[in-house]
Amino acid sequence: MPLDNRAVSHLEARLRREIRGEVLFDAFSRGRYSTDASIYQIEPLGVVVPKSREDAAAAIAIAREEEVPVLPRGGGTSQCGQTVARALVIDCSKYLDRVIAVDVEGRRARVEPGVVLDRLNRRLRQDRLFFPVDPSTASRATIGGMTANNSCGSRSLRYGNMVHNVRGVDALLADGTAAWFGEVPGNFPADSNGGAMPERYRELVRRMRALHRREAGEIERRFPKVLRRVGGYNIDSIDEGGHNMARLLVGSEGTLAFFNEIELELQPIPAHRVLGICHFPTFYGAMAATRRIVDLGPSAVELVDRTMIELSRDIPMFRAVVDRFVQGEPAAILLTEFAGDDPPENLRRLRALVELMGDLGFPGAVVEATDPAFQQAVWEIRAQGLNIMMSMKGDGKPVSFLEDCAVRLEDLADYTDRLTRIFEKHGTYGTWYAHASVGCLHVRPVLNVKQELEVRKMRAIAEEAFAMVREYQGSHSGEHGDGLVRSEFHEAMFGGRIVRAFEEVKDAFDPQGLFNPGKIVRAPKMDDRSLFRFKPDYRHLPIDTALDWSEWGGFAGAAEMCNNNGACRARDAAVMCPSFRATGDEQHLTRGRANSLRLALSGQLGPEALVSEDMRETMALCISCKGCKRECPTGVDMARMKIEFLHHYRERHGLAARDRLIAYLPRYAPYAAHIAPVMNLRNRMPFLANLSERFLGLSAGRKLPQWATHPYRNATPPPQPSPRPLPNPPPLAGEGRVGATSGEGGTRASGRVGAGGRAVVLLVDTFNRYFEPENARAAERVLTRAGYHVVSPDPARGRPLCCGRTFLAAGLVDEARREARRMLDALAPHVAAGTPIVGLEPSCLLTLRDEFPAIMPGAASKVLAGRSQLFEEFVDSERSAGRFTLAFAPMEGRTALLHGHCHQKAFDTVDAAVSALQLIPGLNVETFDATCCGMAGAFGYEAEHHALSLKIGELGVLPKMRAAAPGTLLAANGTSCRHQIADAAGRQARHLVRILDDASAAIGG
Ligand SMILES: Cc1cc2nc3c(=O)[nH]c(=O)nc-3n(C[C@H](O)[C@H](O)[C@H](O)COP(=O)(O)OP(=O)(O)OC[C@H]3O[C@@H](n4cnc5c(N)ncnc54)[C@H](O)[C@@H]3O)c2cc1C
Ligand code: SF4
Ligand code: SF4
């Protein structure tokens, strides 16, 4: 149904008038909803985010009247293109996310379609129940999306797919009929409930039964007899003796009806699990063994191949776990889980597994994991399988189109072997992983779908592979659904007669063709490049970047790393993405930003999109926490992209007064510090606070950081500065030499020499120097007491060094580069001498490690990056090396509660902070999982962001700090975190160096 612009405007106007929910029709929003996790991109007509089921129904009614197709949407993580269409998108994920009722006795739950699986399971845990279908996307997959995709998980061997676990669906048909789709008895419609059913529903039941009666023989012949068959409609589930109509909706991919409510069957959480990690020297050996292992009755048998093991070893957050569970260099491992309420029985089966592996010729090849935390860590790596694969940089990417074919276990080894040879024939390869237990292995050949030739290869591989699957009587669509990529092949796989039956189902439910057209039936060609994300005319607009993006093949290449897998939509784990957690908006999500940038950089949003107001709004709530840098599985680094964006935006639109005031703080701080009492008046006089809000946009409700009357200064007068800055340093000298601490580079020693110790450069940032100088003094004292020679790198004359963080936050990359150059020159002799560079403020010190190489590419910045450490990292590494032996007074019975700054988390330094605090005997150190505190540099001080900043803080950090028992030592190394905690939780957190200082002073050290 092609619509002209007037018709679309009319549709938008009606929606705005007639529904309460959000109506998004601007180009950026449509762009953000034009992709799922597949290779496709189709721009929708507009988006509705309904606030209630009535709202959704009203929007669907309007669409029907305006003859506009409708596309329901959850997390948008589908891999086959079922969640893209030229339609009105109804996004259920923001408001339709209630758990309506839980029947603990009957083990049932009724939920709205937008509930995310992990959230549901968290809610059910209190009743020791869970919903057992566990796709890897559990952190963001919605129950509506899972139902419509007939999703499956690692434990489908035991629990089955969605179709086996959905009991009923309260659905809205295209004609506006709402009906409960559930069990229909054999004697229908003469049963007692028949009268309560709308006639339209009863008619559907009759038609479906008639269809089944007619096609039973063909269904028996053509439907694969494997558990993992999710292709087509589930007409095999229809039974005249009684059947569940909800099963027809399961797997319907939004093409038959809109789900208002879903009833799920729940399971008790198994009390005990064990994991046997079976190592195989050959891939074929693992495949051949799977059947024998499955005979032992495991709850899961999951494959991880060598490529994936190696890729995960390259990812810092996985390395330690991989090293713990992988012995040597296996070609493949099978993660075999036994679960149940009887621990001895699970252990007995684990022993049987060990024996079986011995019998199969693999003695000693099982690593036994009985510790739940260890098991969880191993499963997490398996769950990240696809994402680990997608971390591949460059245009060649593992492409999803035959990644979940399923065959019988007896065919598994041959099937994988032959498919590998098909890949080789086409000059590519694939990485294998996932559900060995049910013969459904994920594999994605690496292809560059930007190129016509590679697209043809894709088609050829698909045709050959599906023909082979048919030969094995397997299923071509075993998990992720049909969408655009597989629906076309139903004819070849099921035969024409079954496909006509599928069309009959579609027409019976949705005669007008309202819901999600072109999926499951009447689909376009899977290799129609006009539907691709990278269409034939896809190109990058020329752009002079301020940062170095060569690692990604350019700025656009970095944005293209987002494959829409939606990990950034997770609401409860780790840091990413605080702005989305607080708003629930696709716009304020890492993915939404990456997609906006990709579309802008390829000219799809118009020539000036990169510097537009829409783009500014898209980036405005990114608080540069770097959560995505660490947690986005494909390495989308939005904090860095924001710097690049701001650079271009500022060049076009200039700098606002507030941004100037914050950015240039390091430059004027030395002068402002002289009039600290005057500067601090703003915090004491409400009218000044009001003026600062009115004219500068700094929230009057916030206290600004307090200027110290005695900022941090070094004890000894500086020597003469070097007449010239040093060039790139020579290769690193050996560590441990003392002496290159003054002279060239204009540096000076503090004069507080410890017991003949090593030199350490203490880099004191602007914030600690001028606002909390006691932290710097404490660091100096601790290091000196520990016997180090504390060196200040600051120039002898002029203002202290600065990392340039505030400039970067404003997009002033040239100014930041100037600061970085100064820093690099001043530190060069120390770096050359192998002196550790130690800093206190995570966002400042880690700028040296993260942004310096991007603003000043070259060996010098790389070496400096490698040499720079946070205080706690330094203490921890020195302790490990036996050099940090300072004694601390015991703090028996006391607890330190540590909030890790987001950048500490991004660089994995929280453990070091814990270790440093644990040097204090008897001190119990606790950390907790939470996203950002919400302050995020200057963000929380900005009037328009004050409320949101608090909202983000309330997601974890603030309640945790508030609830800490009196007497708990609250530790937070970030300046802004400490301010947020003081402001909004009314508690005083301190940099950990202060706690160490107190404890070492108490012992008289
Ligand atoms: C990295 C990665 C790993 C994955 N791992 C797995 C896995 O292990 N197992 C697995 O099965 N899948 C997996 N998937 C696929 C996908 O995550 C799942 O299918 C998931 O259940 C989709 O949920 P969603 O909320 O994102 O749905 P969406 O993609 O938003 O929607 C899916 C379908 O549901 C329809 N829909 C959504 N809401 C409604 C509604 N209210 N009424 C009617 N129709 C609706 C949509 O129209 C669409 O056709 C994976 C995907 C990725 C990217
Ligand atoms: S930004 Fe990263 S985590 Fe989010 S969808 Fe894109 S690839 Fe996934
Ligand atoms: S830097 Fe933080 S706020 Fe910005 S996109 Fe990444 S996770 Fe979200």
Side-chain angles (χ1 to χ4, degrees):
M1 295 177 225
L3 282 188
D4 62 24
N5 288 346
R6 262 192 50 214
V8 175
S9 304
H10 176 68
L11 170 71
E12 178 186 357
R14 269 199 75 184
L15 288 164
R16 287 196 192 286
R17 259 196 326 269
E18 295 175 37
I19 72 162
R20 286 192 312 120
E22 295 163 27
V23 177
L24 312 169
F25 271 63
D26 60 288
F28 272 65
S29 296
R30 282 186 279 119
R32 281 188 283 268
Y33 280 89
S34 65
T35 39
D36 54 11
S38 70
I39 53 175
Y40 300 102
Q41 176 180 309
I42 304 178
E43 192 181 280
L45 296 165
V47 180
V48 161
V49 189
K51 291 204 162 147
S52 63
R53 58 190 287 173
E54 290 74 24
D55 236 9
I60 291 168
I62 293 170
R64 182 175 57 245
E65 286 158 25
E66 301 295 331
E67 299 192 355
V68 168
V70 169
L71 172 65
R73 177 170 162 127
T77 68
S78 291
Q79 294 199 22
C80 304
Q82 56 267 61
T83 323
V84 290
R86 188 94 182 124
L88 177 69
V89 171
I90 314 260
D91 179 351
C92 305
S93 67
K94 185 169 176 182
Y95 299 111
L96 306 183
D97 64 345
R98 281 180 316 140
V99 175
I100 297 165
V102 177
D103 170 4
V104 177
E105 288 291 293
R107 290 201 203 141
R108 297 284 165 105
R110 268 199 184 214
V111 303
E112 288 185 327
V115 171
V116 168
L117 175 61
D118 268 357
R119 284 228 149 162
L120 171 65
N121 279 332
R122 201 154 293 130
R123 156 73 182 79
L124 296 173
R125 205 177 296 152
Q126 68 199 54
D127 298 312
R128 296 215 44 76
L129 293 172
F130 79 124
F131 183 65
V133 180
D134 58 342
S136 312
T137 40
S139 61
R140 64 275 193 194
T142 62
I143 298 295
M146 285 173 62
T147 303
N149 277 357
N150 193 4
S151 292
C152 333
S154 304
R155 297 179 177 90
S156 62
L157 178 66
R158 170 159 301 178
Y159 298 107
N161 311 339
M162 282 305 277
V163 73
H164 308 111
N165 291 277
V166 169
R167 290 289 151 246
V169 177
D170 181 348
L172 187 72
L173 292 167
D175 64 1
T177 306
W180 176 254
F181 285 68
E183 289 292 344
V184 186
N187 61 353
F188 168 87
D191 69 294
S192 53
N193 239 343
M197 297 173 186
E199 175 47 32
R200 170 88 173 91
Y201 178 72
R202 284 190 278 160
E203 178 212 332
L204 272 180
V205 177
R206 281 193 293 269
R207 286 182 68 175
M208 291 303 106
R209 286 194 173 168
L211 180 148
H212 185 263
R213 214 166 24 245
R214 196 185 68 222
E215 303 297 343
E218 188 69 357
I219 292 171
E220 175 59 25
R221 265 190 303 282
R222 297 305 298 245
F223 268 59
K225 309 281 179 299
V226 289
L227 174 75
R228 292 306 198 91
R229 198 274 310 149
V230 307
Y233 295 119
N234 293 321
I235 51 176
D236 56 332
S237 68
I238 305 169
D239 187 338
E240 299 220 45
H243 79 279
N244 191 323
M245 281 291 280
R247 290 188 165 194
L248 275 171
L249 295 182
V250 176
S252 63
E253 300 187 359
T255 62
L256 298 185
F258 178 83
F259 310 156
N260 283 320
E261 257 177 62
I262 299 152
E263 184 174 285
L264 305 169
E265 182 163 336
L266 309 176
Q267 297 293 335
I269 298 175
H272 184 250
R273 296 178 199 271
V274 292
L275 187 62
I277 302 153
C278 307
H279 291 54
F280 294 89
T282 64
F283 183 80
Y284 192 91
M287 295 299 88
T290 302
R291 205 172 154 199
R292 300 283 305 277
I293 294 176
V294 166
D295 287 343
L296 296 176
S299 46
V301 184
E302 294 281 300
L303 167 79
V304 180
D305 81 351
R306 176 179 287 161
T307 314
M308 186 154 296
I309 295 168
E310 280 161 13
L311 284 171
S312 18
R313 274 201 171 113
D314 285 344
I315 298 177
M317 64 194 273
F318 294 144
R319 194 174 304 133
V321 181
V322 175
D323 288 345
R324 198 172 151 200
F325 78 84
V326 179
Q327 290 178 343
E329 306 274 308
I333 55 181
L334 288 176
L335 305 174
T336 307
E337 182 191 78
F338 299 100
D341 292 340
D342 182 1
E345 173 58 16
N346 290 337
L347 291 170
R348 190 194 63 70
R349 290 186 191 204
L350 186 57
R351 275 195 304 278
L353 176 69
V354 173
E355 277 166 31
L356 173 68
M357 286 292 284
D359 294 347
L360 293 172
F362 310 115
V366 182
V367 171
E368 298 176 35
T370 50
D371 166 32
F374 180 37
Q375 291 177 41
Q376 185 54 40
V378 175
W379 280 121
E380 177 58 23
I381 292 179
R382 158 56 202 97
Q384 292 289 348
L386 175 62
N387 294 326
I388 290 168
M389 255 189 349
M390 296 305 286
S391 59
M392 233 172 246
K393 293 189 173 114
D395 282 343
K397 290 270 189 311
V399 183
S400 156
F401 58 103
L402 45 71
E403 81 287 352
D404 56 354
C405 300
V407 295
R408 290 172 307 196
L409 289 190
E410 55 266 40
D411 299 324
L412 196 55
D414 276 356
Y415 158 73
T416 49
D417 203 41
R418 285 177 63 190
L419 192 51
T420 303
R421 275 187 269 127
I422 293 179
F423 294 159
E424 281 165 8
K425 186 177 111 188
H426 290 283
T428 185
Y429 63 98
T431 291
W432 296 89
Y433 69 101
H435 320 299
S437 58
V438 286
C440 181
L441 292 183
H442 293 333
V443 63
R444 291 182 162 205
V446 176
L447 294 166
N448 177 2
V449 290
K450 287 179 179 168
Q451 294 175 1
E452 174 66 28
L453 200 66
E454 297 271 294
V455 174
R456 273 194 243 139
K457 248 191 224 176
M458 175 175 89
R459 173 142 208 119
I461 293 173
E463 285 176 1
E464 286 174 51
F466 292 152
M468 190 175 74
V469 170
R470 196 167 55 235
E471 209 183 289
Y472 288 118
Q473 296 174 342
S475 157
H476 66 305
S477 182
E479 179 168 296
H480 295 151
D482 299 339
L484 292 167
V485 84
R486 261 183 303 240
S487 301
E488 176 205 342
F489 294 96
H490 290 345
E491 189 94 20
M493 301 307 288
F494 289 107
R497 192 168 167 148
I498 293 290
V499 169
R500 299 295 88 73
F502 289 161
E503 286 169 358
E504 200 177 319
V505 174
K506 169 75 180 173
D507 295 341
F509 276 75
D510 180 18
Q512 204 180 332
L514 185 74
F515 285 120
N516 201 7
K519 319 291 153 52
I520 302 185
V521 294
R522 305 184 185 108
K525 290 273 184 205
M526 61 92 84
D527 53 342
D528 178 347
R529 290 185 72 198
S530 70
L531 305 178
F532 278 21
R533 191 180 302 188
F534 302 115
K535 301 184 196 314
D537 60 351
Y538 185 85
R539 71 199 198 291
H540 298 162
L541 296 180
I543 176 174
D544 278 338
T545 58
L547 304 178
D548 176 27
W549 297 98
S550 52
E551 197 186 335
W552 288 270
F555 185 27
E560 285 169 10
M561 284 306 289
C562 173
N563 67 352
N564 274 42
N565 69 65
C568 44
R569 291 180 68 91
R571 297 270 188 145
D572 300 304
V575 175
M576 170 174 74
C577 170
S579 51
F580 171 73
R581 289 187 193 187
T583 63
D585 294 334
E586 186 72 24
Q587 181 184 24
H588 302 303
L589 174 67
T590 318
R591 177 174 80 178
R593 294 182 181 115
N595 278 327
S596 304
L597 284 170
R598 176 178 55 79
L599 293 166
L601 291 169
S602 54
Q604 296 182 69
L605 293 171
E608 296 289 292
L610 182 64
V611 290
S612 65
E613 268 313 286
D614 282 324
M615 187 61 84
R616 191 195 61 72
E617 276 173 30
T618 300
M619 303 303 279
L621 303 191
C622 168
I623 55 176
S624 302
C625 66
K626 302 192 184 181
C628 46
K629 179 187 176 68
R630 177 181 153 83
E631 295 162 32
C632 164
T634 65
V636 171
D637 183 351
M638 192 50 63
R640 185 176 290 186
M641 293 192 207
K642 182 169 180 180
I643 295 171
E644 184 70 55
F645 154 72
L646 282 173
H647 166 81
H648 296 277
Y649 186 83
R650 298 290 178 232
E651 283 205 328
R652 172 62 58 90
H653 301 282
L655 197 63
R658 179 180 67 194
D659 298 330
R660 188 175 300 279
L661 186 75
I662 296 165
Y664 285 86
L665 173 71
R667 301 259 171 94
Y668 64 75
Y671 309 104
H674 289 302
I675 51 163
V678 179
M679 297 297 287
N680 291 333
L681 282 178
R682 183 260 178 216
N683 280 354
R684 294 215 301 276
M685 301 187 156
F687 86 94
L688 286 180
N690 289 335
L691 283 182
S692 77
E693 174 156 336
R694 181 131 179 244
F695 293 107
L696 292 170
L698 293 169
S699 170
R702 286 280 191 193
K703 293 238 179 303
L704 295 182
Q706 189 81 359
W707 291 85
T709 37
H710 299 290
Y712 175 79
R713 293 192 204 289
N714 299 301
T716 48
Q720 288 308 301
S722 164
R724 61 183 167 79
L726 284 181
N728 289 354
L732 280 181
E735 291 201 347
R737 287 195 285 124
V738 180
T741 54
S742 62
E744 275 195 312
T747 60
R748 61 198 168 166
S750 69
R752 293 167 196 173
V753 182
R758 308 170 77 211
V760 176
V761 169
L762 181 63
L763 210 55
V764 178
D765 56 277
T766 303
F767 306 100
N768 279 308
R769 181 180 296 275
Y770 296 107
F771 301 127
E772 296 179 89
E774 256 321 298
N775 295 341
R777 293 184 189 114
E780 198 178 311
R781 283 193 295 269
V782 171
L783 291 170
T784 306
R785 282 186 206 121
Y788 294 93
H789 180 166
V790 178
V791 176
S792 164
D794 292 319
R797 275 197 288 276
R799 63 189 173 82
L801 295 174
C802 162
C803 67
R805 174 94 249 144
T806 56
F807 294 114
L808 289 171
L812 299 174
V813 180
D814 293 336
E815 295 290 6
R817 195 175 284 118
R818 234 164 265 150
E819 297 298 332
R821 187 76 251 170
R822 267 179 92 223
M823 178 81 85
L824 209 63
D825 291 342
L827 292 178
H830 305 292
V831 171
T835 311
I837 316 289
V838 173
L840 297 172
E841 171 63 29
S843 56
C844 293
L845 186 279
L846 293 170
T847 301
L848 274 61
R849 210 185 276 176
D850 195 16
E851 280 90 357
F852 273 27
I855 53 178
M856 268 186 328
S861 56
K862 263 204 194 122
V863 176
L864 174 60
R867 185 65 72 207
S868 310
Q869 287 175 292
L870 281 170
F871 180 84
E872 55 269 28
E873 290 179 287
F874 174 71
V875 169
D876 190 39
S877 62
E878 289 290 284
R879 182 198 54 79
S880 301
R883 290 191 287 256
F884 191 94
T885 54
L886 184 64
F888 295 96
M891 291 193 180
E892 293 301 340
R894 292 204 73 178
T895 292
L897 181 64
L898 173 73
H899 158 59
H901 183 286
C902 294
H903 294 185
Q904 280 178 291
K905 290 176 183 161
F907 285 86
D908 253 333
T909 69
V910 176
D911 285 351
V914 171
S915 302
L917 282 170
Q918 281 172 338
L919 291 174
I920 300 173
L923 181 64
N924 168 40
V925 184
E926 289 176 8
T927 55
F928 55 97
D929 271 343
T931 188
C932 181
C933 71
M935 191 61 110
F939 182 83
Y941 295 108
E942 295 166 359
E944 72 278 23
H945 296 144
H946 185 169
L948 188 81
S949 150
L950 295 179
K951 195 169 175 192
I952 294 173
E954 293 299 343
L955 294 172
V957 176
L958 295 175
K960 192 79 189 171
M961 287 287 158
R962 231 176 257 129
T968 305
L969 298 167
L970 303 181
N973 281 9
T975 302
S976 48
C977 313
R978 291 191 291 273
H979 281 268
Q980 178 81 318
I981 292 164
D983 245 29
R987 301 292 295 263
Q988 211 57 51
R990 298 194 299 164
H991 194 293
L992 67 77
V993 75
R994 301 285 293 278
I995 300 173
L996 292 176
D997 181 38
D998 286 353
S1000 71
I1003 214 163

